[in-house]
Each structure stands twice: as structure tokens, then as C-alpha cells.
Amino acid sequence: MASDDIAQLADVLSKIHVGDGELGFKGSGLKLDNAESVEELIREMEQYPGLRALRLEGNTLGVDAARAIAKALESKDLLQVCYWSDMFTGRLRSEIPTALRCLGGALMSSGARLTDLDLSDNAFGPDGLKGIEQLLKSPSCHTLQELRLNNCGMGIGGGKILAEALIEGHSQSSAYGAPLKLRVFIAGRNRLENEGASALANAFQLMGSLEEVHMPQNGINHAGVVALASAMQHNPELRVLNFNDNTFTKRGTLAMAQALRHLRNVQVINFGDCLVRSEGAIALAAVLREGLPILKELNLSFGEITEAAALVVAQAAMDKPDMEKVDLNGRLTVEGHAHTHGSHGSLKRDGIKPDDEGEDAADDADHDDASDDCSEDNEEDSEIVKENGITRKDDSYVYKQNLCGYNLFIKLPFSHQVDASDPHKAADILLKIASLYSEEPETKTAVLETIDAVLKKLLSGSVFQSYCFLSSLLVMMGLLKGEGKMKKVSLVPGQLLCLEHAIQQEYFLQHHAALLHTFMSKNSGALESCSTASERLSSTLEKKCHDQH
């Protein structure tokens, strides 16, 4: 070892952190190539019999140096914490697994029981996971509480290796009567994608002990998100959930919202840049209203949600006593238009403070204009046949005006055909019934009684179910751009008049009215062809919201 290198190491050792069982060489920038280069470091380790934490991050470790350090680690049975991030800068990728096996083997030989292992920023890929696979399965990691593997380039293969190691470790530790209870898992920027995320979801569900999960920037879309959501539901102590910069879309967001309904200890949710979109945002607003009692932070920034949906989220968040921050920054759309906001929707305890400096941006090609003319023809997906003057669709009878009148309609048990678990179909049935509205007394009574029965059923369940239904209704009314095959229907004034009637009933709660009112006020041109009925509906919505304040 060159004399200047020895002098550098001696200088570093004179400044190392020693205390509380920790020996620290953090950020020293040492290039440790061989046994000679680590002699002074090893001497310090040997003179520290109570070593509990070893910080090697920010240095670069070769295979021979790793072997020498490993030899010293074999006697450190009290070691619990290994801060070994950014430890292989400039090393060949083929060197890293060997170095990791040496260090891991020493920990296993020593009988150490780790609580914290940080190998972040090492970019070792799937091969690197093979280097720590046996360690993760061993008794040395049966006590592991925090595992940090941020920015390691694991990929799908590495994610699967990691998941299998955690599952095996849990199985073996359970056989000893003390199952692995990982609390913190950090693995951002690893290109896990759906397969890697789904594999890890199996491990998470099995352990059921997680309190923090950080998996940003992993190329996960709705399939992987659904798997992770199911796993999160089995971790009741979860406090922090960070999936920033993955791709949820509606399906993933609904699955995650369903999971959050069962979690009572969540304090921080980061779904920023996750493409939750408006329908997903509405579902999350529902969860805010009925759950998440101690939530402090919610990030839905850059999620391609409309201003109306952002407002619905903010309104729901205002009722959370511990809420400190709601981040709705980014590109908020107004059906067909987009605006870039610096801090729009930022929630403080004294209210919502929109950014006054937001500026119009170019229309996003991915956003179609959802405020098409109210009278636009709707394409039906299934065949409609007529029998004896009665129109039938999908075996659900909807009676149009004919020579027989509406007396037959009164006998139909429409409310029993409505299933709240299928919000699209429920909204479709409601609008079909409402389309029969007429000022003829018998018809009017029959239609409104049926509307009441249907809506009472749809809105009397959970807030989540009612918001999913109202979200679908908004899409079909052309007030919200939806995902999937849902299309805007051709509205008639009677449908809006039926809604006006419903809003005045006790089953139609203030927050339901506020949701509709928010979208109508932000999309005033969407119902132009039904202008008179639309004005009546808007007026009634405003009165309902005002009367309840």
C-alpha cells in the first residue's frame, strides 16, 4: 500500500465515529483493494469488542479487501447493523457477488443477529442478490427489521431472488418459533416491474409485519400494483406507503384504495406521479372520508387528475385532524384542457391555497374532451330487441313510452337488479330508469319511487362504494373522462330532473351532493343541451351543500 494511501487511512481513522457500539467510516472515499489496504481498519474493528454497527458506505471495496474484513467480522457476534451502501463504486460487476458472499458468510459464521441491513446504491443487479441470498435466508437475518436495497438495479430476476429469500427466511424462522418480522422495506429505482413486484408481494403478505414500504420508480403498472395492494392489506401496522412514479391507472388505484380501507395506522401516502387519474382520486377521497384516521401526508401530484377531482380530494382531507400536507401539484386537467400548477391544492390547516401563478399548458394528446355535447349519440354494445312494444336490453326490462302506458313498469323490481359492486352497471340502470321520466302523474310517481329505491341501496353502503358509483355516473353523464369502455350516454332532461329529486332526499348525503356539484361547476358546458334541467339540478345541489354547512 502506498505511503500516501496509508496516511489517508490513518487520517480517516483518526476521525471515525466511535460510540454507542458503532464504528463509522462513512463517506471517507477510501479505495480498499487488498488486505494491506484495510489493515488499520481491521485493527480498529478488533479493538472494539462490543461492535454493534459497522458503517462502510461511501468507500469502494475490492474482493481481497472484503475477504480481510470478513475475517475480522467472524468474531463480531454482537453486530446488528450494517450500513454498507455505495460500497462498490468503480468495481467490476463480477467482483461484487464474491465480495458480498465473503461478508455475508462471515456474519453467518459469527452468529450475529442483524436488525438493519443497508446495501443501497450498489448497482449490483440480480447477481448481487445472489451474493446475499444465503445471508437473507440464514438465522443472521431472521431478526432483520429494516432492509434497504434502494437503487441496486435488481430487475425482475433480482426481485424474484429477494422474494424467495425472504419467504424462505420467514419459513425457517417460523419453525424456530420467532418468525421474521421485517418492518421497513426500501427498494426504489430497481426496475422490478410487475413480475418482481408481484413476487415481493407474496413475501410481504406472508410476513404481515411491514410498517414502511418504499418502492418508487420501479416500472410497476396496474397488475403489479394490484398484487402489492392485496399484500398491503395484510400488514395492519403499515404507517408509510411510497409507490411514487409507478403507473397505477384506475384499476391499480381502486385496488390500493380498497386495501387502504382496512389500514388504520397509515400516516404517509405517496402516490405522486402514479397516474391515479380522476376516478382513482375520487376513490381515494372516499377512503379519506371513511378511514385513515391518523393520516398526515398525501401525495397525488402529477397524477393526471382534473381540478374537480383534486378539489374532491382536498375537501375530504380537510376533515382529517392530523393532516399536515396534501400535495396535488402538477398537471391538473379540466376536461380537455390542462394546467400546470406550482402548488395548486396544497392543503394547510387553515384551508386550501391554490397557486395563483399556474399557467395554461398545451392540450395533452392522451386526454380526450369529456365534455362532449350532452346530446351526443351513445353506441350500445349489445343487441336491443323489441317485443310487444317493450324494449329489452340484456334481459333487464326497461319500458319505453308506448300505447300500453307505464303501468307495467311499476311492477318491475329494479332495485333488486342493482349491485353496488358493479358501479358501471348500476349507473347504467339508473340512467335507463330515469330516461322514462314524464310529468304524467302515474309515470312520474313510478319512476321517482324506483329511483329512490335504487339510489337508497347504492348510497347506503360504504362511502367507497357510493363514490365508485357516483364516479361512474359522472363518466356516463359526460362530466368526467373515464378509463375503459364506459361511454357518455345521450342524456334527456328527465334524467337530470330525477337526480334533482334524489338530491333532496335524506339518503343523498351532503358529501354526495358536494361531489356532483364540484364536477358540474367545473364542467358547466357539458349539459348544455339539457340547459333548463341542468340549471335546476345545479341550483338544488348548491342549496343542499349550503344547507348542510
Side-chain angles (χ1 to χ4, degrees), residues 20-26 45 51-59 61 69-70 72-74 76-88 99-100 102-122 124 132 135-136 138 140-141 143-150 152 184 186:
D20 301 325
E22 179 178 299
L23 186 59
F25 305 91
K26 179 181 179 181
M45 292 174 60
L51 185 63
R52 296 181 183 275
L54 179 61
R55 308 195 74 113
L56 294 176
E57 67 265 52
N59 301 290
L61 196 64
I69 294 173
L73 283 174
E74 289 179 355
K76 302 302 177 183
D77 60 325
L78 298 179
L79 191 67
Q80 296 178 329
V81 181
C82 296
Y83 295 120
W84 293 350
S85 63
D86 189 20
M87 204 169 62
F88 298 107
L100 288 172
C102 292
L103 296 170
L107 292 172
M108 290 185 283
S109 297
S110 72
R113 296 294 183 265
L114 299 183
T115 59
D116 298 66
L117 177 61
D118 185 357
L119 287 166
S120 298
D121 301 316
N122 280 311
F124 46 49
I132 60 171
L135 172 64
L136 291 173
S138 75
S140 288
C141 283
T143 51
L144 199 61
Q145 296 179 22
E146 299 188 11
L147 178 60
R148 292 173 168 83
L149 295 166
N150 203 57
C152 287
V184 176
I186 300 175

Side-chain angles (χ1 to χ4, degrees), residues 272-294:
D273 204 14
C274 282
L275 213 65
V276 299
R277 292 185 172 147
S278 296
E279 291 175 277
I282 292 171
L284 291 170
V287 179
L288 284 173
R289 287 198 176 275
E290 66 179 348
L292 300 173
I294 60 174

Side-chain angles (χ1 to χ4, degrees), residues 123 198 256 278 290 435 451:
S198 297
M256 200 60 75
S278 296
E290 66 179 348
S435 70
I451 289 290

Side-chain angles (χ1 to χ4, degrees), residues 317-318 323-326 345-353:
M318 290 297 294
M323 187 66 79
E324 298 173 358
K325 178 182 178 183
V326 173
S346 178
L347 182 72
K348 306 296 182 183
R349 289 312 308 159
D350 57 347
I352 305 166
K353 296 185 178 179

Side-chain angles (χ1 to χ4, degrees), residues 354-383:
D355 181 20
D356 295 329
E357 299 178 0
E359 58 183 15
D360 291 344
D363 289 351
D364 191 328
D366 293 333
H367 290 80
D368 297 328
D369 188 349
S371 58
D372 296 331
D373 188 271
C374 181
S375 61
E376 175 182 313
D377 290 337
N378 178 47
E379 297 178 9
E380 298 292 343
D381 295 325
S382 54
E383 184 180 2

Side-chain angles (χ1 to χ4, degrees), residues 419-489:
D419 184 357
S421 66
D422 188 347
H424 178 201
K425 185 175 180 180
D428 184 54
I429 290 176
L430 181 80
L431 289 176
K432 281 184 169 66
I433 298 170
S435 70
L436 307 178
Y437 179 87
S438 166
E439 290 299 331
E440 191 275 320
E442 185 178 4
T443 302
K444 180 177 181 179
T445 299
V447 171
L448 293 181
E449 285 181 354
T450 308
I451 289 290
D452 285 336
V454 169
L455 280 176
K456 188 173 183 179
K457 179 177 181 179
L458 292 172
L459 300 179
S460 62
S462 68
V463 178
F464 180 79
Q465 283 188 331
S466 67
Y467 273 39
C468 286
F469 160 71
L470 290 173
S471 179
S472 295
L473 185 63
L474 289 168
V475 172
M476 299 185 77
M477 291 175 66
L479 295 169
L480 171 63
K481 181 184 182 297
E483 294 184 32
K485 296 181 179 180
M486 267 198 298
K487 297 178 180 178
K488 176 181 177 295
V489 303

Side-chain angles (χ1 to χ4, degrees), residues 365-414:
D366 293 333
H367 290 80
D368 297 328
D369 188 349
S371 58
D372 296 331
D373 188 271
C374 181
S375 61
E376 175 182 313
D377 290 337
N378 178 47
E379 297 178 9
E380 298 292 343
D381 295 325
S382 54
E383 184 180 2
I384 297 177
V385 296
K386 290 186 177 181
E387 296 179 1
N388 299 323
I390 299 170
T391 301
R392 185 178 69 183
K393 183 182 187 305
D394 295 338
D395 295 326
S396 295
Y397 288 86
V398 178
Y399 288 80
K400 301 291 185 182
Q401 188 171 12
N402 53 59
L403 296 176
C404 298
Y406 288 93
N407 56 319
L408 295 177
F409 169 76
I410 302 172
K411 299 177 182 179
L412 282 179
F414 271 101

Side-chain angles (χ1 to χ4, degrees), residues 149-211:
L149 295 166
N150 203 57
N151 191 31
C152 287
M154 287 191 285
I156 293 172
K160 290 181 176 180
I161 293 170
L162 176 58
E164 290 171 4
L166 292 174
I167 290 171
E168 179 64 23
H170 183 271
S171 175
Q172 290 186 16
S173 59
S174 296
Y176 292 127
L180 171 63
K181 293 184 178 181
L182 194 66
R183 295 190 300 106
V184 176
F185 179 83
I186 300 175
R189 301 182 65 188
N190 271 291
R191 304 193 307 275
L192 293 169
E193 301 182 14
N194 289 338
E195 291 184 60
S198 297
L200 285 167
N202 292 330
F204 297 160
Q205 183 165 327
L206 186 65
M207 291 185 291
S209 55
L210 290 168
E211 297 178 17

